[in-house]
Amino acid sequence: MHHCQNITNTRLWSSETLSIVCFYVQLCETHTCVSPLQSDYHFEYTECDVLGSRWRVAVPNKADTCTGLPDPVKGTQCTFSCNEGEYLDMQSQQCQKCAAGTYSLGTSVAFDEWDSLPTGFVTHGVITNEGNDQTDCSNSTWTPKGDYIASNTDECTATLSYAVNLKQPGSLSFEYFYPDTSIYFEFFVQNDQCQSTDSNSRWMRISESSWSKYTVELNKGNNVLYWRTIAYSLQGSAVKPVLLRNIQISGVAYTSECFHCKPGTHSANPGSARCTPCPADTYSNKGATTCHECEQDKYAVVGSASCKPRPACASSDYFYTHTPCDSEGKTQLMYKWIEPKICSETVEGALKLPASGEKQTCPPCNPGFFVSNSSTCEPCPSGSFSNGTVCTECPAGTEPVVGFEYKWWNTMPANMKSAVYNQVFSDSNRRTAWEVAGEYIYTTPGDQDTDYLMLTLSVPGYRLPQSMVKDAERSELSRITFVFETICTADCKLYFLAGYNQWNNDVVEHWNGRNHKQSYSYLIQSNSTVSFTWTFKRTDGTRNYSADVAKIYSIVITNAIGGVATKCRRCALMSVKAGSACVLCPPGHYMVTGTEACQKCPPNTFIRTDQPVGEAACIRCGPNTTTNKAYTACLSDCILDLRTSKGALLHYDFSPLANVTSVHSSPRFTSKGLRYFHRFNLGLCGTEGRMPASCVDNVTESGREVKGYVCQSTVVPSDIRSQSLVSSQPFLIGDSLIGVTTETTLGNISSMFPAALGLPDVIFYYKSSDATQSCKQGRSATVRMRCDPTVTTKNRIMLPSNCSEGTCDGCTFHFLWQSQHACPLCTKNHYREIVSACIQGIQRTTYVWQQPVQCYGGQPLPAQKVSACVTLDFWLKFGVSTGAVAAVLLISLICYFWKKTRKLQYKYSRLMMTSGGRECELPTADSCAIMEGEDAEDDLMDLTKKSFFTKIKSFSRERTSDGFDSVPLKSSSSRQRLVEEDSDDEIEQITLPRHRGSVQM
């Protein structure tokens, strides 16, 4: 304990430091020790105390080495550090320069050798959120590859971490290669309070063409560094991994030793901060101070640790090109070795470089250029154009069409460059990837078939012609069109990428295998799209398919700033005066062919932006759509009237469904069990101020977004960046509305859903102008609106059952939207009335919908009506009374007429009896005949009144055979006797009706 007492008496120590020092002292006192050599122990510093001080103590390398250890001495301050190229000599506690063949970063540590995972690094793989629980992700980790470390390429989450304690504020820098947007890559730092980097700054930028460098500041104290990747290989294609190398951390504690240079590098001078890679055809071993040249029959690439035998030269080791035009206007076909040259011409079977061809006349310059006196191509002055020979001023009434048009390839244009990228080497400019060949530009053979051969075109921006500046909203900003061909025997790929900002390119389209000569056009919608890249990769082998080639014949880009005029076009003039400036025709007008006059388009048409000249520029809007104010597109305000096949007029209002609505396809799973699905965003209809449907890419920092009526993105449930969903691969399905109708086919687009029973479905038809390799006419969509009053939600959208992703051919997408708002507005024809019985003098009229109900909204159902009424009892009594009176009256009439009839029969019988049976002779009338026209009521016939007994007697007489009573009539000659006999009887007066004419008695 003697040493501990000396130490504690020397200075006030922290409890932690004191315990460490005393541990080693007690260790010696408990062992029988021998005198140590200097190699038996090493020096270390204790932990810093509260005052920022520390002690240097000798630590034995073996437990039995104790006697004679140097006493602890006061160490350097905790903030002490050495410069780059130096190390701290613990014996003298002074900074010393590193020897040749070694290097030091001072207060930094570097990791540039990845033969194995360096000490302190930890990597592991876990199941991505929503993944299959049975998925094994233990092997989905970061893998050392010698010069770099590579990420996983599956759906597991792979994390690489490193913990470091900084004695002072420092920084971290590393190089990465992040070429594939199908993989998510983030980096963040977590401090000792477990606080992480803001989620919005974790994104790593795409580095399609070369290695990118990333630098971040670190705080003093504990810092845990995390690199995390998650791949989304949703289309079954191979995913390129993320690569890391040259990780360097500054701000750490002192370094007490220098590091040897790794093989393939060297440091010639003492005090080196880093090692230099060996040049081509040289090599070095570990800790080398110089590089050694390879033997004559061997070669080595930059940074090689050994040399390789040179192979025999073959046709894949050289390429052909055309020389620039000389002063005589001649060019020559020439062959060149691919640099760096690695083949040998002296090996048996080697090919010699072919001889150069004969000189030929140079082709003309590209349009917009002219041949100068030095036989070079120069751009035409402003306001003039050319076809590649002589510049000509644009005539009056025209304006130059500015842009770039490359169709002759004698020299590489100034705004284009080519490069080769190999995942192993960082030098992407080590040789030419694309070479000019007169009529086209093509890919040269590469070192390996896995090389990425890149051609990049850069433009400063875009500017509309002067006549279109005032109406930029309805004018096409720019368009790039190129003609290409791929000749491949393997699975080669050609990518076309567009830059959405200065540092990022996104894949727009790609082609696999052999493709015949064809044209592709891409609409540029943003002024930040300033670079375009064509990348060709042969296959995953090594120099087996070097003859596979990609060719580009022509590239045309319009409205480019700094461009040249390839032609002049007519424009509408501001006035008829000479020299008048060009202006754009007013909205809804087109320029008449061959003149400078503007003509108004027919009603309800819009103007084609790619053809503003001639009546063909006016395109009629589809059914039930109207043109917008700028006459650039057709819209629907969501309100329309449609007439059914039976002639009924239906009124629709889809306004409640106008907001952007999302629908998901059925879930799909990758080979690792990662669940994903396709999300569709729909903006059904609306006026010009509507909010369009949009789909974004939030996997990469580019945040690419597309907007239109219908779009699609691929969505993966995830917890990265504290987000529940990751969206990628967005594209437009429909950016223009072409019509709304009940017909199942419109403009070669057909809706595949079966028709509904009853009301016809209303179908919205959309189309996108973005053409792809598989959809050369662009994509399209149909949204079938089906009436269902029972559906109260606004997002019940279904995809075809036989095409779970919404499309069967990848080009036309179909949706079925069921909603009560898809029903026609209700009118009075949709309900009927029901009248109740009269109860206690009250009658109710109720209105109900016609079944089945096929309307919603519109005219509401009328309220119940209540009215006064007369009950059934009253009418029954009234009817019975009226019937009784009518019956009595009828019976009276019957009796009256029956009695009249009997009297007439009686008189007639007496007349017949009086005639005596003589034909054509009537008896003498007892009284005057009834004359025609006289009223029967006025003539009375006096008869002898009989007693009641006599009347009974007369009724009891026998009737004759003809049914009449046998009553003897008195003649005129016996009238006197009859009167005498019946003198005592009263004479009865009988009223007889009148007859027309007179009868002689």
Side-chain angles (χ1 to χ4, degrees):
M1 293 298 294
H2 175 69
H3 290 291
C4 290
Q5 293 174 355
N6 292 340
I7 295 173
T8 55
N9 293 333
T10 302
R11 186 177 179 85
L12 180 63
W13 286 51
S14 66
S15 59
E16 294 86 355
T17 304
L18 183 60
S19 62
I20 294 173
V21 176
C22 290
F23 168 77
Y24 291 113
V25 175
Q26 293 171 0
L27 181 66
C28 293
E29 293 180 350
T30 57
H31 288 78
T32 301
C33 301
V34 297
S35 299
L37 301 176
Q38 190 172 357
S39 60
D40 292 336
Y41 62 89
H42 64 276
F43 292 106
E44 288 186 7
Y45 281 122
T46 63
E47 293 291 334
C48 296
D49 58 21
V50 293
L51 299 177
S53 299
R54 56 188 175 183
W55 288 77
R56 190 200 69 176
V57 297
V59 179
N61 296 329
K62 297 181 180 179
D64 57 353
T65 305
C66 297
T67 304
L69 288 175
D71 292 334
V73 298
K74 183 180 179 180
T76 60
Q77 290 293 316
C78 292
T79 57
F80 176 83
S81 63
C82 295
N83 296 324
E84 291 183 345
E86 298 178 342
Y87 72 99
L88 180 62
D89 181 12
M90 295 295 290
Q91 181 71 36
S92 62
Q93 297 195 70
Q94 298 293 324
C95 292
Q96 303 291 336
K97 287 187 176 181
C98 292
T102 63
Y103 72 98
S104 169
L105 299 174
T107 60
S108 301
V109 291
F111 305 94
D112 53 7
E113 294 185 53
W114 297 94
D115 296 321
S116 61
L117 198 64
T119 303
F121 280 87
V122 177
T123 179
H124 64 278
V126 297
I127 301 173
T128 303
N129 186 33
E130 297 289 341
N132 189 344
D133 292 339
Q134 304 300 322
T135 301
D136 183 12
C137 291
S138 59
N139 295 324
S140 299
T141 60
W142 290 76
T143 307
K145 297 288 186 179
D147 291 323
Y148 56 86
I149 184 170
S151 73
N152 66 321
T153 56
D154 56 22
E155 297 82 18
C156 297
T157 300
T159 303
L160 177 69
S161 61
Y162 181 77
V164 61
N165 182 275
L166 300 187
K167 302 303 180 182
Q168 59 187 12
S171 64
L172 164 72
S173 65
F174 59 88
E175 293 181 359
Y176 69 93
F177 178 59
Y178 179 20
D180 200 331
T181 57
S182 296
I183 191 169
Y184 169 76
F185 177 37
E186 68 175 357
F187 167 77
F188 61 96
V189 181
Q190 192 176 79
N191 58 21
D192 47 10
Q193 280 82 37
C194 293
Q195 296 174 339
S196 300
T197 306
D198 182 32
S199 61
N200 292 329
S201 61
R202 296 183 180 185
W203 271 320
M204 301 304 295
R205 296 179 291 186
I206 292 292
S207 54
E208 179 69 30
S209 59
S210 62
W211 287 85
S212 301
K213 188 173 183 179
Y214 182 81
T215 303
V216 63
E217 298 296 325
L218 300 178
N219 296 324
K220 180 181 176 180
N222 293 322
N223 293 270
V224 183
L225 316 177
Y226 291 95
W227 294 266
R228 186 160 66 173
T229 57
I230 305 172
Y232 301 114
S233 55
L234 306 180
Q235 305 301 327
S237 58
V239 177
K240 289 177 276 188
V242 176
L243 310 181
L244 286 180
R245 70 179 186 183
N246 296 338
I247 299 176
Q248 181 174 327
I249 306 171
S250 65
V252 298
Y254 63 91
T255 175
S256 59
E257 61 179 340
C258 296
F259 301 96
H260 292 284
C261 292
K262 68 177 183 178
T265 64
H266 72 287
S267 62
N269 302 319
S272 296
R274 58 189 52 84
C275 299
T276 305
C278 291
D281 295 331
T282 64
Y283 72 99
S284 70
N285 298 318
K286 185 176 183 179
T289 59
T290 184
C291 296
H292 308 284
E293 291 188 2
C294 296
E295 298 176 5
Q296 188 67 27
D297 60 343
K298 294 183 178 180
Y299 78 99
V301 296
V302 176
S304 295
S306 61
C307 297
K308 298 179 181 179
R310 291 183 181 273
C313 290
S315 59
S316 59
D317 292 306
Y318 62 83
F319 65 94
Y320 62 93
T321 183
H322 282 73
T323 62
C325 294
D326 56 20
S327 58
E328 299 177 354
K330 300 291 185 179
T331 184
Q332 185 180 21
L333 178 66
M334 184 174 291
Y335 295 89
K336 295 182 179 181
W337 292 111
I338 295 175
E339 297 295 339
K341 182 183 176 183
I342 62 173
C343 68
S344 174
E345 300 179 62
T346 60
V347 178
E348 183 180 357
L351 296 180
K352 299 292 184 180
L353 192 67
S356 300
E358 297 182 357
K359 288 189 175 183
Q360 299 176 351
T361 303
C362 287
C365 296
N366 282 312
F369 293 83
F370 71 98
V371 181
S372 64
N373 295 331
S374 59
S375 298
T376 60
C377 294
E378 300 291 339
C380 289
S382 178
S384 60
F385 73 101
S386 80
N387 59 358
T389 54
V390 181
C391 297
T392 305
E393 290 286 337
C394 288
T398 63
E399 61 180 351
V401 179
V402 179
F404 292 107
E405 182 177 353
Y406 301 113
K407 63 179 183 179
W408 299 109
W409 303 93
N410 272 31
T411 58
M412 183 71 73
N415 60 347
M416 298 182 70
K417 66 177 183 179
S418 69
V420 176
Y421 179 75
N422 187 292
Q423 294 181 359
V424 178
F425 303 104
S426 61
D427 185 6
S428 61
N429 297 317
R430 58 192 178 89
R431 66 176 178 82
T432 301
W434 293 71
E435 189 59 54
V436 295
E439 295 182 351
Y440 54 85
I441 184 172
Y442 75 103
T443 54
T444 60
D447 290 342
Q448 296 182 356
D449 291 340
T450 56
D451 290 346
Y452 293 91
L453 310 179
M454 296 175 294
L455 175 68
T456 302
L457 167 65
S458 301
V459 294
Y462 312 97
R463 181 186 298 120
L464 291 172
Q466 187 64 32
S467 62
M468 298 183 179
V469 172
K470 294 184 178 181
D471 202 0
E473 185 177 331
R474 65 187 181 101
S475 301
E476 184 177 281
L477 178 62
S478 181
R479 182 181 292 271
I480 183 171
T481 305
F482 58 92
V483 178
F484 71 98
E485 179 185 19
T486 58
I487 304 173
C488 302
T489 57
D491 54 343
C492 67
K493 294 181 180 180
L494 176 64
Y495 298 89
F496 173 63
L497 304 96
Y500 287 88
N501 45 50
Q502 296 181 352
W503 48 263
N504 182 23
N505 284 342
D506 285 330
V507 176
V508 175
E509 187 59 271
H510 71 277
W511 297 266
N512 298 328
R514 183 182 182 91
N515 290 273
H516 297 287
K517 189 175 181 181
Q518 58 186 279
S519 175
Y520 179 79
S521 181
Y522 174 68
L523 179 64
I524 303 170
Q525 299 178 333
S526 173
N527 222 333
S528 62
T529 308
V530 295
S531 67
F532 305 92
T533 301
W534 294 263
T535 301
F536 181 70
K537 180 184 178 183
R538 289 182 171 89
T539 185
D540 294 329
T542 55
R543 302 200 68 161
N544 294 323
Y545 301 96
S546 58
D548 291 357
V549 63
K551 297 180 180 180
I552 296 179
Y553 293 90
S554 65
I555 300 175
V556 179
I557 184 169
T558 62
N559 299 336
I561 296 176
V564 293
T566 59
K567 61 182 178 180
C568 295
R569 64 181 174 190
R570 289 188 174 273
C571 62
L573 299 179
M574 185 177 296
S575 66
V576 295
K577 296 180 180 179
S580 177
C582 287
V583 295
L584 191 66
C585 284
H589 291 70
Y590 67 93
M591 192 171 63
V592 180
T593 306
T595 68
E596 295 81 28
C598 292
Q599 182 71 33
K600 185 175 179 59
C601 282
N604 204 30
T605 58
F606 66 97
I607 301 293
R608 290 178 55 180
T609 56
D610 59 338
Q611 185 182 342
V613 179
E615 191 173 358
C618 302
I619 308 299
R620 184 169 297 280
C621 289
N624 297 297
T625 62
T626 57
T627 183
N628 59 358
K629 294 180 181 179
Y631 293 89
T632 57
C634 296
L635 305 174
S636 171
D637 60 358
C638 304
I639 300 175
L640 64 151
D641 297 334
L642 295 175
R643 193 171 294 277
T644 64
S645 58
K646 297 180 180 181
L649 184 62
L650 302 177
H651 308 278
Y652 289 88
D653 184 3
F654 297 102
S655 299
L657 306 177
N659 294 332
V660 177
T661 307
S662 298
V663 59
H664 299 89
S665 67
S666 57
R668 302 179 68 87
F669 297 88
T670 63
S671 58
K672 286 286 187 179
L674 178 67
R675 184 170 69 96
Y676 72 96
F677 47 85
H678 299 299
R679 178 168 64 187
F680 301 92
N681 290 337
L682 281 70
L684 184 67
C685 53
T687 58
E688 294 184 68
R690 65 181 178 86
M691 179 67 69
S694 63
C695 298
V696 299
D697 178 4
N698 63 4
V699 173
T700 59
E701 193 177 1
S702 64
R704 186 166 67 94
E705 183 179 16
V706 295
K707 295 182 178 181
Y709 281 99
V710 186
C711 63
Q712 176 192 311
S713 60
T714 302
V715 175
V716 180
S718 178
D719 59 355
I720 59 175
R721 296 193 313 276
S722 300
Q723 295 185 8
S724 59
L725 294 176
V726 173
S727 176
S728 65
Q729 303 172 3
F731 61 86
L732 270 177
I733 299 176
D735 56 7
S736 60
L737 176 63
I738 62 174
V740 184
T741 179
T742 56
E743 299 295 330
T744 57
T745 301
L746 181 65
N748 298 324
I749 304 175
S750 299
S751 177
M752 66 180 302
F753 282 99
L757 299 176
L759 280 177
D761 297 329
V762 180
I763 307 174
F764 286 74
Y765 291 87
Y766 307 94
K767 191 170 181 61
S768 172
S769 57
D770 292 340
T772 63
Q773 181 182 4
S774 56
C775 306
K776 305 205 179 282
Q777 303 301 321
R779 299 183 179 92
S780 57
T782 65
V783 180
R784 182 183 285 261
M785 309 301 297
R786 179 163 294 176
C787 172
D788 191 341
T790 62
V791 179
T792 58
T793 59
K794 297 182 180 180
N795 58 350
R796 186 173 176 180
I797 304 176
M798 295 186 295
L799 304 176
S801 58
N802 57 335
C803 303
S804 59
E805 295 184 359
T807 178
C808 296
D809 58 3
C811 297
T812 303
F813 294 77
H814 306 276
F815 306 92
L816 176 61
W817 197 336
Q818 293 178 300
S819 173
Q820 60 185 6
H821 300 290
C823 299
L825 299 178
C826 295
T827 63
K828 63 181 181 180
N829 296 326
H830 290 97
Y831 60 82
R832 61 188 179 88
E833 64 178 22
I834 299 177
V835 181
S836 68
C838 186
I839 302 174
Q840 297 180 354
I842 297 176
Q843 189 175 53
R844 290 177 172 83
T845 303
T846 305
Y847 298 90
V848 295
W849 295 112
Q850 299 279 5
Q851 296 298 324
V853 180
Q854 293 183 329
C855 69
Y856 181 79
Q859 184 174 339
L861 199 66
Q864 186 184 62
K865 291 183 180 180
V866 178
S867 59
C869 64
V870 180
T871 62
L872 180 63
D873 295 340
F874 171 81
W875 290 110
L876 182 61
K877 295 176 181 178
F878 177 78
V880 171
S881 301
T882 304
V885 172
V888 171
L889 181 61
L890 180 61
I891 292 173
S892 301
L893 291 174
I894 291 173
C895 293
Y896 171 75
F897 285 109
W898 178 79
K899 186 176 181 179
K900 289 281 268 186
T901 302
R902 295 294 296 176
K903 290 179 178 180
L904 289 176
Q905 290 178 346
Y906 171 73
K907 297 303 292 180
Y908 180 75
S909 299
R910 293 190 63 180
L911 289 174
M912 290 299 297
M913 293 178 63
T914 306
S915 62
R918 293 187 296 271
E919 293 182 0
C920 299
E921 183 179 349
L922 292 174
T924 303
D926 294 333
S927 63
C928 296
I930 300 174
M931 302 302 294
E932 183 178 0
E934 295 182 2
D935 293 334
E937 291 81 6
D938 299 335
D939 297 332
L940 297 176
M941 182 177 186
D942 295 332
L943 296 177
T944 302
K945 289 185 179 182
K946 299 181 180 180
S947 62
F948 178 77
F949 178 77
T950 306
K951 292 179 180 179
I952 294 298
K953 184 179 178 179
S954 64
F955 275 107
S956 62
R957 292 175 184 165
E958 259 184 69
R959 292 180 179 263
T960 59
S961 60
D962 57 2
F964 293 100
D965 293 333
S966 179
V967 179
L969 295 178
K970 303 178 181 67
S971 65
S972 56
S973 57
S974 59
R975 177 181 296 269
Q976 187 65 34
R977 188 174 54 252
L978 180 59
V979 173
E980 291 178 354
E981 293 176 356
D982 298 331
S983 57
D984 296 330
D985 297 335
E986 296 179 352
I987 303 301
E988 180 183 7
Q989 294 182 346
I990 300 175
T991 304
L992 297 176
R994 294 181 179 178
H995 295 275
R996 297 185 183 271
S998 59
V999 180
Q1000 296 292 333
M1001 297 300 295

